[in-house]
Amino acid sequence: DAGVTQSPTHLIKTRGQQVTLRCSPKSGHDTVSWYQQALGQGPQFIFQYYEEEERQRGNFPDRFSGHQFPNYSSELNVNALLLGDSALYLCASSLRTSGGAGDTQYFGPGTRLTVL
Amino acid sequence: AQSVTQLDSQVPVFEEAPVELRCNYSSSVSVYLFWYVQYPNQGLQLLLKYLSGSTLVESINGFEAEFNKSQTSFHLRKPSVHISDTAEYFCAVSSSGAGSYQLTFGKGTKLSVIP
């Protein structure tokens, strides 16, 4: 059973560019969340997608946008990259149950984004 | 708003010694609590979680954590650590209220097990 997969593994961009990160959820999961983990910090919630809609958003600017496809996979897009966007971007998938926020989130290995 | 404080950024401990990683949270509503572990160059793995019921929760690899509502704490303990436990540990909280789905993480505690 494949877990959460993310691509690419590493990415180097320059300031002002745009980037797209991809995530395939664990088999049977229908919800995808994205987190940003800066060096030496804990992950910070960007947003969550369920039924192809953004269900909740953290404190991130509109430069961060996402999408969920009918097969539950997801993309994270970041426009007008800043140096401060350099981080590990983690995707987590879960199966929506009545527990809502208590649903266990399974994390992928992350995409390491470096902005020069 | 909710927040998590992990009181120790680094904890060195000798192999086979006990360890406690401290976590305090702040929230105005009822919460769910989690501990995740991150090995180098990997994503996060769920270690254990508290949703309701017994305040003591256990993982399959010997870790346990106790939810203490009055002290707003969820400390992680293991009676005897192994070299393989060397990793970074993150405490996280989510609100049990409707419409809240995000996990809020602490800054992490790096556990180093010394042979």
Side-chain angles (χ1 to χ4, degrees):
Chain A
D1 176 24
V4 179
T5 59
Q6 293 185 244
S7 63
T9 305
H10 295 87
L11 204 53
I12 299 175
K13 293 286 188 178
T14 57
R15 281 177 296 175
Q17 285 189 311
Q18 178 265 344
V19 67
T20 297
L21 311 182
R22 296 176 175 81
C23 171
S24 291
K26 184 177 169 66
S27 178
H29 285 184
D30 56 8
T31 302
V32 173
S33 304
W34 286 93
Y35 293 81
Q36 180 195 67
Q37 186 178 17
L39 200 61
Q41 302 294 317
Q44 289 200 332
F45 176 76
I46 303 175
F47 40 55
Q48 184 181 88
Y49 277 84
Y50 172 70
E51 292 188 336
E52 302 181 48
E53 291 190 357
E54 183 181 290
R55 184 156 71 169
Q56 188 176 12
R57 187 179 185 90
N59 189 25
F60 278 80
D62 292 344
R63 297 187 297 109
F64 290 77
S65 63
H67 188 78
Q68 186 180 33
F69 299 94
N71 67 353
Y72 308 118
S73 67
S74 176
E75 288 182 349
L76 165 66
N77 300 291
V78 186
N79 295 322
L81 285 167
L82 304 173
L83 295 179
D85 294 332
S86 294
L88 180 68
Y89 288 85
L90 295 165
C91 168
S93 74
S94 56
L95 175 63
R96 183 181 182 271
T97 67
S98 59
D103 297 337
T104 297
Q105 296 190 22
Y106 293 82
F107 285 79
T111 294
R112 174 74 61 188
L113 172 64
T114 301
V115 182
L116 301 176
Chain B
Q2 56 202 26
S3 66
V4 175
T5 302
Q6 291 186 243
L7 298 165
D8 305 296
S9 59
Q10 297 189 57
V11 173
V13 62
F14 286 103
E15 193 175 13
E16 298 184 4
V19 69
E20 178 180 80
L21 307 182
R22 297 179 292 170
C23 171
N24 286 92
Y25 69 92
S26 173
S27 176
S28 58
V29 297
S30 296
V31 297
Y32 300 131
L33 293 157
F34 306 80
W35 275 99
Y36 281 85
V37 58
Q38 187 175 34
Y39 297 101
N41 301 314
Q42 294 187 26
L44 280 74
Q45 301 174 27
L46 179 69
L47 200 55
L48 47 77
K49 66 180 181 181
Y50 170 79
L51 300 183
S52 64
S54 173
T55 57
L56 184 65
V57 290
E58 299 176 351
S59 71
I60 57 174
N61 56 358
F63 283 95
E64 65 179 29
E66 185 163 18
F67 170 54
N68 188 319
K69 188 175 182 180
S70 62
Q71 297 186 7
T72 60
S73 68
F74 192 55
H75 300 332
L76 182 69
R77 301 183 182 94
K78 190 171 185 180
S80 175
V81 296
H82 302 287
I83 295 292
S84 60
D85 294 324
T86 294
E88 190 156 20
Y89 293 78
F90 292 93
C91 181
V93 62
S94 65
S95 167
S96 61
S100 178
Y101 306 99
Q102 71 178 76
L103 285 174
T104 299
F105 286 87
K107 292 187 175 182
T109 297
K110 290 185 179 178
L111 174 63
S112 299
V113 180
I114 305 164

